[in-house]
């Protein structure tokens, strides 16, 4: 039940108190994000960890002035690949074969199959598919933060093009997908803190086909 209790404890914190999250907790959350599964193991995204106050101020301005960005301790930004390429696929499988002690060509057929599947789908599909993988990691980070009793606010409320510009993501072939300020809830001034968590009942959410 521990995970369920942690998920009930967490909420999309609206006001943070400026307290620093210890580095080992941030590292734990990032490790959970890194261990997330992804389609074919490609991990088509990176995480930027931002603590620089000037950068955080700039980011807040393109994120509807959401105060958690500057009152939190660390801002995590998931930045997904703009697209897949044979090189990127090869790099992933070079790592996998090396780490598993397999012959370098062990995954060649799979690589060809994968690129044959991805290439015709076009760049927009690539971009969206990479972003969907990033969300899985994002979810893991949210759960890990809750386990560490670190508050976090999942956020899509920002201008991605402007954030990409601030972080220089375009030059890196990346685009921002979603962001997560980490920190601690403020003692006062958070309208959501004592509100009941509301979810659709399981009967309206789960369909069993036995
Ligand atoms: C992808 C995503 C984007 C969100 N964007 C924002 C946001 O920009 N600002 C904010 O305050 N909350 C944001 N939320 C929080 C949701 O409103 C919140 O998770 C939802 O209402 C459920 O409430 P709970 O997280 O407190 O359980 C976002 C949540 C998700 C998952």
């Amino acid at each position: 039940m521990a995970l369920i209790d942690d998920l009930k404890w967490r909420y999309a914190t609206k006001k943070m108190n400026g307290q620093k999250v210890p580095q080992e907790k941030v590292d734990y959350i990032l490790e959970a994000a890194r261990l997330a599964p992804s389609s074919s193991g490609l991990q088509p995204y990176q995480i930027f960890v931002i603590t620089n106050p000037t950068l955080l101020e700039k980011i807040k301005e393109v994120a509807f002035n959401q105060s958690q960005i500057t009152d939190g301790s660390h801002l995590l930004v998931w930045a997904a690949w703009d697209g897949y390429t044979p090189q990127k696929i090869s790099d992933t499988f070079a790592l996998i074969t090396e780490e598993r002690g397999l012959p370098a060509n062990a995954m060649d057929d799979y690589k060809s199959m994968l690129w044959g599947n991805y290439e015709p789908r076009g760049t927009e599909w690539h971009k969206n598919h990479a972003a969907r993988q990033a969300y899985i990691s994002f979810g893991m980070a949210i759960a890990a933060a809750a386990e560490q009793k670190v508050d976090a606010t999942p956020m899509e409320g920002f201008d991605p093009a402007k954030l990409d510009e601030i972080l220089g993501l375009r030059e890196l072939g990346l685009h921002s997908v979603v962001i997560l300020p980490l920190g601690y809830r403020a003692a006062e001034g958070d309208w959501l803190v004592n509100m009941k968590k509301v979810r659709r009942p399981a009967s309206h959410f789960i369909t069993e086909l036995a």
Side-chain angles (χ1 to χ4, degrees):
M1 288 304 279
L3 177 62
I4 299 299
D5 287 340
D6 294 334
L7 294 178
K8 287 180 176 167
W9 171 85
R10 67 148 297 280
Y11 73 110
T13 309
K14 301 300 174 198
K15 194 164 173 16
M16 294 189 176
N17 67 7
Q19 197 187 324
K20 275 255 157 296
V21 177
Q23 191 58 45
E24 62 271 20
K25 287 187 183 264
V26 177
D27 291 345
Y28 184 92
I29 294 162
L30 290 169
E31 186 62 353
R34 191 178 73 94
L35 289 171
S38 58
S39 189
S40 290
L42 291 174
Q43 294 179 276
Y45 52 85
Q46 287 180 212
I47 299 174
F48 289 74
V49 182
I50 304 170
T51 51
N52 177 290
T54 313
L55 265 182
L56 291 171
E57 272 301 335
K58 280 192 193 163
I59 295 171
K60 184 167 83 169
E61 281 170 24
V62 302
F64 303 100
N65 280 314
Q66 297 193 74
S67 64
Q68 307 93 316
I69 292 171
T70 46
D71 295 341
S73 155
H74 294 68
L75 179 72
L76 311 188
V77 175
W78 274 257
W81 295 354
D82 288 338
Y84 298 105
T85 61
Q87 186 61 52
K88 283 178 168 160
I89 291 174
S90 271
D91 290 348
T92 300
F93 286 103
L95 176 68
I96 290 173
T97 49
E98 193 189 323
E99 293 272 318
R100 290 181 176 163
L102 299 170
N105 63 359
M107 303 298 287
D108 282 359
D109 286 350
Y110 187 81
K111 282 187 322 197
S112 304
M113 182 281 293
L114 198 59
W115 183 241
N117 181 354
Y118 281 6
E119 188 187 16
R121 294 175 185 248
T123 49
E124 207 48 36
W125 183 87
H126 283 204
K127 209 174 159 188
N128 288 330
H129 187 260
R132 290 203 295 274
Q133 311 313 306
Y135 275 96
I136 300 169
S137 166
F138 179 64
M140 297 277 179
I142 293 168
E147 195 212 45
Q148 294 297 305
K149 294 289 178 286
V150 170
D151 283 304
T153 317
M155 283 188 182
E156 273 177 337
F158 63 91
D159 182 329
K162 289 190 177 145
L163 181 54
D164 294 355
E165 199 176 314
I166 292 168
L167 298 179
L169 296 183
R170 239 161 278 150
E171 295 75 7
L172 301 173
L174 297 169
H175 61 282
S176 55
V177 173
V178 74
I179 64 178
L180 189 70
L182 301 176
Y184 293 100
R185 60 192 71 176
E188 286 181 5
D190 187 336
W191 62 268
L192 191 56
V193 65
N194 290 320
M195 295 267 184
K196 186 172 189 251
K197 186 172 286 296
V198 181
R199 295 293 189 266
R200 270 187 284 139
S203 58
H204 290 202
F205 181 72
I206 297 158
T207 303
E208 289 189 21
L209 302 172

